[in-house]
Amino acid sequence: MSGALQERRIGLTVLTGFLGSGKTTLLNRLVRDPAYADAAVIVNELGDIGIDHQLVRVVDDRIVLLEGGCICCTVSGGLVDTLKSLFMLALQRRIRPFKRVLIETTGLASPAPILFTLRTDPFLAERYVYRGAIAVADAQHLHNHLRTQPEATQQLALADVVAFSKADLVNPARLESARAEVMRINPGVPCTVVRPDLPLDAMLGEAALVRERSSAHSLDGWLSAYRSPAGMPGRLGGHAQVEHFSMTLAAPLTRGQFLAGMHDVQARYDKGLLRIKGMICFTGDALPCAVHGVHRQLYPLETLPQWPGDGRDSRLVFILRGLSADTVQTLVRRALHQPPR
């Protein structure tokens, strides 16, 4: 899809985080920030009677409540219908036109189904584009959440930016401990601290999220954070059976070979693949493509505008849960026609 078409589409940002992490508090601030002044807001509520949308103090009709179930379960119906209806209502000038959408998920939801839907529904794919996920991490309770709640791990693994909440309620050592926990799951992710007495960090704006997902230098920094000796797998902390491995693709690879190989890998491991991210230069191409994937889904490859620095390596990172990194890496190398380690 061309860059021009992408710019015409409506950017969609997901605000995620475990129960009680402070998503609604941050959402209240985001809707007043100039970066989201022209955004529609969708709040996902688990119960039959929505509450969170009443806590978001907007001054106009920008907020929509998607209630009755977690967005993981309703995304194929309720969210699709909501996004379609919002677009048509704005087109008919029945609501104020919007250029972006903010979705606050429930505390038990993964952002992954939203990504799937934007890619697979033709109507939405032409009109909306995923800009990234902001994950709110509770500095007070993150340690316990990651050891007892698999959803919290998934939310952080998929985050493009992590915002620490409740930092004013903990000492500096506890905040650094929470940051270290996040780095074990998503080592290269940018982090910021949300404090009630300070302005919001610019990295929470859509423009910063776009750069984080599509900039060659940002992607290179993220990939570099996973480098380990000889590409050996590593464990991301002692929680939630999360491991990772990074690999450099030494053998040339065509686009068709890559897509076919990744299809086999993702079909086999599915939910165990928390995140796939990388940068690959295919045979015959001068510039690399950004690679993003979750579970069974691989998102459209996007050509980067440049190489980061002097390096020309094609690299992939796999974040896994409940899988052996050695076993998965062996299959990936075989599927992508790469030599054994």
Side-chain angles (χ1 to χ4, degrees):
M1 188 168 291
S2 72
L5 178 54
Q6 283 212 37
E7 289 306 310
R8 288 201 302 269
R9 291 186 291 172
I10 298 166
L12 189 148
T13 300
V14 174
L15 181 61
T16 188
F18 198 68
L19 294 167
S21 60
K23 294 187 301 299
T24 301
T25 300
L26 178 55
L27 181 61
N28 264 310
R29 298 187 65 183
L30 288 175
V31 296
R32 285 166 173 74
D33 191 275
Y36 293 101
D38 54 0
V41 181
I42 299 174
V43 177
N44 179 211
E45 274 286 273
L46 262 177
D48 293 330
I49 300 176
I51 296 174
D52 276 357
H53 75 295
Q54 297 174 8
L55 302 179
V56 181
R57 298 179 296 276
V58 293
V59 295
D60 50 40
D61 59 355
R62 283 190 288 156
I63 189 165
V64 175
L65 176 67
L66 179 61
E67 62 182 355
C70 173
I71 210 164
C72 290
C73 308
T74 62
V75 68
S76 60
L79 180 61
V80 172
D81 292 342
T82 298
L83 288 171
K84 288 180 178 178
S85 295
L86 279 174
F87 183 85
M88 295 308 298
L89 289 170
L91 190 65
Q92 298 161 3
R93 295 295 189 265
R94 294 169 60 186
I95 63 172
R96 192 180 72 176
F98 56 93
K99 294 183 179 179
R100 307 148 245 277
V101 173
L102 262 171
I103 298 180
E104 181 195 357
T105 70
T106 73
L108 297 174
S110 162
I114 300 173
L115 279 71
F116 302 162
T117 301
L118 290 183
R119 179 188 172 189
T120 56
D121 186 279
F123 183 94
L124 299 184
E126 288 184 8
R127 295 163 176 84
Y128 293 93
V129 58
Y130 183 73
R131 291 307 192 198
I134 301 168
V136 182
D138 182 336
Q140 268 190 312
H141 303 108
L142 184 66
H143 184 85
N144 182 59
H145 288 166
L146 291 176
R147 279 153 182 76
T148 60
Q149 307 296 338
E151 296 86 359
T153 303
Q154 173 89 68
Q155 291 161 355
L156 290 174
L158 288 177
D160 296 287
V161 171
V162 172
F164 287 100
S165 64
K166 307 182 185 179
D168 54 324
L169 303 179
V170 299
N171 59 38
R174 185 62 177 263
L175 179 59
E176 280 307 306
S177 175
R179 189 187 300 271
E181 292 277 8
V182 170
M183 290 299 109
R184 292 189 187 102
I185 296 171
N186 197 342
V189 69
C191 296
T192 185
V193 176
V194 178
R195 298 185 184 276
D197 56 335
L198 294 176
L200 290 177
D201 195 313
M203 73 169 59
L204 298 176
E206 184 185 279
L209 290 171
V210 171
R211 285 195 300 273
E212 188 57 36
R213 291 183 67 83
S214 60
S215 159
H217 292 286
S218 293
L219 186 55
D220 183 58
W222 192 91
L223 292 169
S224 297
Y226 285 86
R227 281 197 174 122
S228 54
M232 296 297 290
R235 280 180 173 75
L236 301 179
H239 48 73
Q241 298 179 294
V242 177
E243 298 186 23
H244 82 280
F245 67 88
S246 62
M247 57 185 289
T248 299
L249 305 184
L253 195 65
T254 67
R255 192 176 297 247
Q257 287 173 326
F258 174 74
L259 294 175
M262 287 304 302
H263 175 272
D264 293 343
V265 171
Q266 291 180 279
R268 178 163 183 172
Y269 293 117
D270 194 9
K271 295 294 179 65
L273 300 174
L274 289 185
R275 188 167 193 179
I276 304 158
K277 190 171 178 178
M279 179 169 55
I280 296 182
C281 190
F282 297 109
T283 302
D285 289 352
L287 293 171
C289 287
V291 175
H292 294 278
V294 180
H295 302 331
R296 281 178 174 262
Q297 295 288 329
L298 192 70
Y299 304 102
L301 301 171
E302 296 183 18
T303 301
L304 297 171
Q306 64 190 65
W307 281 96
D310 298 326
R312 294 294 184 272
D313 290 338
S314 294
R315 288 172 284 154
L316 289 174
V317 166
F318 289 75
I319 305 178
L320 317 170
R321 182 167 62 203
L323 297 172
S324 162
D326 284 318
T327 300
V328 176
Q329 183 170 184
T330 298
L331 178 66
V332 171
R333 288 186 175 277
R334 187 164 58 244
L336 299 184
H337 310 285
Q338 299 299 304
R341 274 194 289 114

